[in-house]
Amino acid sequence: MAKSLVIIPTYNEIENVEAIIRAVFDLQKDFHVLIVDDNSPDQTGKRVKELQAEFLGKLFLETRLEKSGLGTAYIHGFKWAINKGYDYIFEMDADFSHTPSDLIRLQRACMNGADVAVGSRYKKGVNVVDWPLYRVLLSYGASFYVKLITGMRVHDPTAGFVCYKREVLEAIDLDSVRFVGYAFQIEMKFRAYLKKFKIEEVSIIFRDRVLGKSKMSSSIISEAIWGVFVMKMRSLFLKNKF
């Protein structure tokens, strides 16, 4: 069995899902792919089922009953991956904002000593393409805020392109992870940081999606702003929860 699993959460990604799956398998590396679909009305899951016949034993699908948040989708995928015995477990978006070939660079970082490899937009300046200025400022500002509150020296703590070694996910109490939106990415890195795992950033170029709609919302932004402060307080006063 492959040692590496790429988890891709989907909700209404019919325009992207086949292309992203093929792009991963075109790498000619021993990656498997798990799609965690939240019962997409646009039939994303149905298309994945059709592709499974072509990519037998390499492409997997977990269908949830409803849209329940990015964080819970990844937690579902993490537990599935641990149960199946994968050594390197990746997070990646379906919309090509992450370049599939960079999976190899993230894996290499983990194979060379990192416990968590983060595809970073901000390790070397600002490597974001086709985002409006306000979004770049919001994202970069959020990263600075997270570093200030948590003490993590991670330039891109909100990044959603990540490789975890299995031992990291096994060490984290996945059932106690609270965030469900993009702040989930911060919480996972913070929990790994508190457990003294080595987090390494790999500089990538991030591109805005071309097809489909962004899942960003005001509630997700609010969770990230207020939730990070609460998370830090909980880590100080409720250490057993972390």
Side-chain angles (χ1 to χ4, degrees), residues 35-185:
I35 303 294
V36 181
D37 184 65
D38 281 358
N39 202 19
S40 299
D42 71 353
Q43 303 297 304
T44 297
K46 181 175 181 293
R47 184 64 192 126
V48 175
K49 285 182 181 178
E50 293 167 351
L51 289 168
Q52 283 184 296
E54 181 178 349
F55 300 110
L56 195 62
K58 298 172 61 178
L59 174 61
F60 306 96
L61 172 67
E62 288 284 290
T63 303
R64 305 196 301 168
L65 293 179
E66 59 185 5
K67 192 173 187 292
S68 303
L70 181 75
T72 60
Y74 273 125
I75 294 295
H76 185 104
F78 291 160
K79 290 180 177 180
W80 190 95
I82 291 168
N83 184 54
K84 300 294 183 182
Y86 288 94
D87 293 329
Y88 301 99
I89 301 160
F90 299 78
E91 299 179 359
M92 189 173 75
D93 290 348
D95 60 9
F96 283 94
S97 54
H98 306 136
T99 303
S101 60
D102 285 334
L103 288 166
I104 298 169
R105 298 172 61 222
L106 294 182
Q107 184 184 54
R108 186 181 302 125
C110 281
M111 294 178 73
N112 289 338
D115 299 305
V116 181
V118 178
S120 178
R121 297 164 289 187
Y122 306 127
K123 182 181 180 181
K124 299 179 180 178
V126 178
N127 292 322
V128 177
V129 177
D130 295 332
W131 259 12
L133 180 60
Y134 82 90
R135 255 196 105 172
V136 174
L137 293 175
L138 179 65
S139 175
Y140 193 80
S143 297
F144 178 80
Y145 170 75
V146 170
K147 286 193 289 186
L148 183 67
I149 296 296
T150 65
M152 286 193 298
R153 299 274 69 90
V154 177
H155 296 291
D156 195 357
T158 64
F161 193 27
V162 186
C163 176
Y164 292 97
K165 284 184 176 176
R166 185 181 70 245
E167 306 90 90
V168 178
L169 299 180
E170 289 176 330
I172 293 172
D173 181 3
L174 296 175
D175 290 326
S176 70
V177 175
R178 297 182 60 149
F179 292 141
V180 297
Y182 286 88
F184 163 81
Q185 305 292 2

